[in-house]
């Protein structure tokens, strides 16, 4: 089983601050996804990264896939209360099986 | 608009009872998935299906079963509910592993 670890587990910041959350594994992934989940709802896909070193931007969110395809980061610039939620990374192994989710980073952005 | 729905949204049952959770999608996706979400574990895959009459075991399949008689539905059955199966259950559908659309979840309590 390929495991994904996420850090930090919890993060509470003030509106306007920047932050970075991490997703790490000892295994190589063919792709990694980032989802955001709000209370009482299912996860919603934010982005998929496929190529080692790839950087994708989604408004104030910047996603990076590590060169070795074992880790990824999510950077939020000027966080807003609407960014509050559980951020999950998920990955598909090199052989198309063992799709796994990380435990998530719970972000709280205070006004 | 296409969607994925789950019912019931909340269920309380007793140990030993059979329980079925419904999942219905109108995306016309071939792939459907069932996950459970518990604190500290993230989302764990229970069963998945690549199409009608196809079902596969995931990471935590013991005590659960699914059947796929049509494209739209993948009901999850707990044959004899146990307290360890108290959790939030999410159904998802997709055309590929890396872009899954999730339902709103079912909160199941086994007393």
């Amino acid at each position: 089983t390929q495991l994904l670890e996420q850090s930090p587990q919890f993060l509470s910041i003030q509106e306007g601050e920047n932050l970075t959350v991490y997703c790490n594994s000892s295994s190589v992934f063919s792709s990694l996804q980032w989802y955001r989940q709000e209370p009482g709802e299912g996860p919603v896909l934010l982005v998929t990264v496929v190529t080692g070193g790839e950087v994708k931007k989604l408004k104030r969110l910047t996603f990076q896939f590590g060169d070795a395809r074992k880790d990824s980061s999510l950077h939020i610039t000027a966080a807003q209360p609407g960014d509050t939620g559980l951020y999950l990374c998920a990955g598909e192994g090199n052989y198309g099986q063992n799709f796994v989710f990380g435990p998530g980073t719970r972000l709280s952005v205070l006004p | 608009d296409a969607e994925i729905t789950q019912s019931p949204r909340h269920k309380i049952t007793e140990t030993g009872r059979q329980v079925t959770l419904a999942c219905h999608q109108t995306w016309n996706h071939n792939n459907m998935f069932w996950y459970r979400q518990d604190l500290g574990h993230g989302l764990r895959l229970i069963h998945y299906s690549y199409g009608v009459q196809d079902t596969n075991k995931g990471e935590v399949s013991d005590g659960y079963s699914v059947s796929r008689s049509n494209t739209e539905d993948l009901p999850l059955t707990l044959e004899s509910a146990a307290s360890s199966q108290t959790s939030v259950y999410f159904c998802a559908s997709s055309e590929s592993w890396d872009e899954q659309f999730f339902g709103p979840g079912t909160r199941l309590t086994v007393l």
Side-chain angles (χ1 to χ4, degrees):
Chain A
T1 303
Q2 295 168 296
L3 298 177
L4 285 168
E5 299 178 343
Q6 291 190 244
S7 61
Q9 186 177 359
F10 300 97
L11 185 59
S12 181
I13 62 171
Q14 294 294 134
E15 182 176 2
E17 293 184 3
N18 301 331
L19 67 112
T20 302
V21 298
Y22 301 92
C23 174
N24 298 287
S25 176
S26 58
S27 302
V28 175
F29 285 85
S30 59
S31 67
L32 271 177
Q33 293 77 51
W34 284 93
Y35 289 80
R36 181 170 64 210
Q37 184 178 18
E38 299 188 15
E41 299 181 8
V44 175
L45 179 68
L46 296 174
V47 77
T48 298
V49 286
V50 178
T51 305
E54 181 178 6
V55 176
K56 282 191 173 179
K57 292 190 175 183
L58 185 65
K59 297 183 180 178
R60 295 175 293 100
L61 278 60
T62 301
F63 305 85
Q64 185 161 6
F65 201 11
D67 290 341
R69 292 185 289 133
K70 293 183 178 181
D71 55 86
S72 181
S73 62
L74 159 58
H75 181 80
I76 301 179
T77 303
Q80 299 177 359
D83 295 327
T84 293
L86 179 67
Y87 288 82
L88 297 159
C89 65
E92 179 181 7
N94 264 332
Y95 301 100
Q97 68 273 35
N98 295 329
F99 190 83
V100 293
F101 278 82
T105 291
R106 191 167 296 280
L107 172 66
S108 178
V109 181
L110 305 174
Chain B
D1 288 345
E3 61 178 356
I4 179 165
T5 58
Q6 293 184 236
S7 63
R9 293 296 312 276
H10 301 272
K11 174 76 175 178
I12 299 175
T13 191
E14 295 177 344
T15 301
R17 290 189 178 267
Q18 183 181 78
V19 176
T20 297
L21 308 183
C23 175
H24 179 80
Q25 55 102 358
T26 59
W27 292 96
N28 200 34
H29 287 152
N30 285 320
N31 303 330
M32 295 186 72
F33 312 86
W34 273 104
Y35 294 89
R36 59 178 289 173
Q37 186 172 36
D38 305 286
L39 280 176
H41 288 281
L43 286 156
R44 290 183 291 175
L45 184 63
I46 304 171
H47 282 285
Y48 59 100
S49 168
Y50 288 138
V52 176
Q53 301 302 330
D54 176 76
T55 61
N56 305 280
K57 294 181 178 181
E59 177 189 359
V60 290
S61 61
D62 287 348
Y64 303 93
S65 64
V66 294
S67 61
R68 187 90 179 270
S69 59
N70 58 53
T71 300
E72 296 80 18
D73 299 289
L74 187 70
L76 177 71
T77 297
L78 288 66
E79 300 294 344
S80 178
S83 58
S84 60
Q85 294 177 308
T86 292
S87 187
V88 181
Y89 291 85
F90 287 97
C91 178
S93 71
S94 73
E95 277 304 314
S96 64
W97 279 97
D98 62 1
E99 190 171 0
Q100 297 182 32
F101 294 84
F102 283 82
T106 294
R107 183 174 295 274
L108 176 68
T109 301
V110 183
L111 301 176

